[in-house]
Amino acid sequence: MLSSSSMDLLMFLLLLVSPVALASSSTVPAIFTFGDSIFDAGNNHYNKNCTAQADFPPYGSSFFHRPTGRFTNGRTVADFISQFVGLPLQKPFLELQIQILNGTSNFSNGINFASAGSGLLFDTNKFMGVTPIQTQLQQFQTLVEQDLIEKSTIQESLFLLETGSNDIFNYFFPFQTPTLSPDAYVNTMLDQVNKTIDQIYKLGARRIAFFSLGPVGCVPARAMLPNVPTNKCFGKMNVMAKMYNTRLEDIVNIIPTKYPGAIAVFGAVYGITHRFQNYPARYGFTDVSNACCGNGTLGGLMQCGREGYKICNNPNEFLFWDFYHPTERTYHLMSKALWNGNKNHIRPFNLMALATTNIAF
């Protein structure tokens, strides 16, 4: 058995491999993405009733050189996976919806339905006007029912899902007393996971990737919560995230049995991020606690880009871009681990294998 240090070295070497060079045998024609700000490519920007926005500088500054609505300085995990597969980046559904009405839409490479601030629970951040996953799924279902997406395309496509961080962070908000225990609350979240899988399967999804939550209790925004430590991660929040992750993996593991013809993987984002935090220098980080862009304690008391914000000179050396979200470089390293990493990072096999496995229909 490899030692912990040997495993970390192996992961580092894997991250040096160019994923794009390994994508030539992929049969994936499109990617459909659902979730929150980890994936959102700009849906909230096109929702003028939504107050959760990142459509202003310096968001997008490191890659797109303009704000796109993504909650980081460049590309997200969904963007990198798309590039590894060899596809153009998927557009936000709400942008495509405008084009559909104009008769100019083209979403042959997939669609991004994710909405920053949303969660598995319908009411999570509802006051901000975000698009809950239930609505995201309905948007997809409507396109399928209108025969705007070919069934064969859906069956061969990748389905990426990541959500739940906002549900857990909101559980600890000081101005609302939870009515459920942490255990019951997590089970309520997982009820929606089961409904989500059931719905996308019935609509044709067969290649499914569910990503775990990261260590939510380590985001700089925890500085906004009363009586929460800022010199270390918020343990209670991370315990809930790990509880959710463990049960989520159990659900993912039975997908091939419960849903004939479907294959599924579990992306261990918590563990990947935890390694970055424990061995920052190994991965090129000099700061894994503070936001590169923000202000106040941990840079977590103000959103990046708001009046009075401060920004670091070297975002590539920071784990966090703003008070909630990783930098593009963090997403890049994470995406590589999910694409061609070992079972410590994603299981039972990686996204590259998921994208190249033949599926019998």
Side-chain angles (χ1 to χ4, degrees), residues 126-317:
K126 185 178 180 180
F127 71 98
M128 301 174 75
V130 301
T131 305
I133 196 164
Q134 293 84 352
T135 304
Q136 296 174 35
L137 293 167
Q138 185 57 53
Q139 291 167 343
F140 175 63
Q141 181 170 331
T142 298
L143 294 177
V144 175
E145 291 174 346
Q146 292 175 345
D147 293 324
L148 292 174
I149 310 173
E150 292 184 10
K151 183 178 180 180
S152 59
T153 296
I154 296 172
Q155 291 177 329
E156 291 285 355
S157 296
L158 276 183
F159 282 75
L160 306 180
L161 302 102
E162 186 283 332
T163 187
S165 296
N166 293 306
D167 301 300
I168 288 180
F169 194 89
N170 287 11
Y171 185 84
F172 294 91
F173 273 0
F175 45 82
Q176 56 188 45
T177 303
T179 57
L180 296 174
S181 68
D183 182 80
Y185 188 83
V186 166
N187 282 339
T188 302
M189 293 169 60
L190 292 164
D191 286 343
Q192 182 57 49
V193 168
N194 281 310
K195 291 176 182 177
T196 297
I197 296 169
D198 191 63
Q199 188 169 353
I200 62 173
Y201 178 79
K202 287 177 179 176
L203 292 171
R206 294 298 181 268
R207 301 181 201 257
I208 302 167
F210 248 107
F211 298 159
S212 83
L213 304 183
V216 191
C218 300
V219 298
R222 73 183 187 278
M224 293 189 287
L225 300 175
N227 304 314
V228 169
T230 55
N231 62 339
K232 61 181 180 179
C233 297
F234 184 22
K236 289 183 178 179
M237 194 176 285
N238 279 347
V239 166
M240 276 189 76
K242 287 189 282 189
M243 183 191 305
Y244 168 83
N245 290 342
T246 298
R247 297 176 189 177
L248 174 65
E249 184 168 11
D250 290 340
I251 291 172
V252 172
N253 286 341
I254 64 171
I255 286 177
T257 303
K258 187 176 180 181
Y259 299 99
I263 51 177
V265 296
F266 171 81
V269 171
Y270 193 106
I272 294 169
T273 308
H274 196 53
R275 289 183 184 275
F276 297 160
Q277 293 171 313
N278 285 343
Y279 308 100
R282 188 170 293 170
Y283 299 102
F285 295 114
T286 59
D287 193 317
V288 293
S289 301
N290 298 283
C292 167
C293 185
N295 208 345
T297 305
L298 299 176
L301 300 181
M302 174 185 291
Q303 185 183 3
C304 176
R306 300 299 184 185
E307 185 177 355
Y309 80 93
K310 298 178 181 179
I311 188 169
C312 70
N313 295 321
N314 49 344
N316 282 344
E317 296 179 13

Side-chain angles (χ1 to χ4, degrees), residues 62-74:
S62 296
F63 180 77
F64 300 100
H65 307 296
R66 60 180 177 83
T68 63
R70 291 168 173 81
F71 283 72
T72 185
N73 57 316

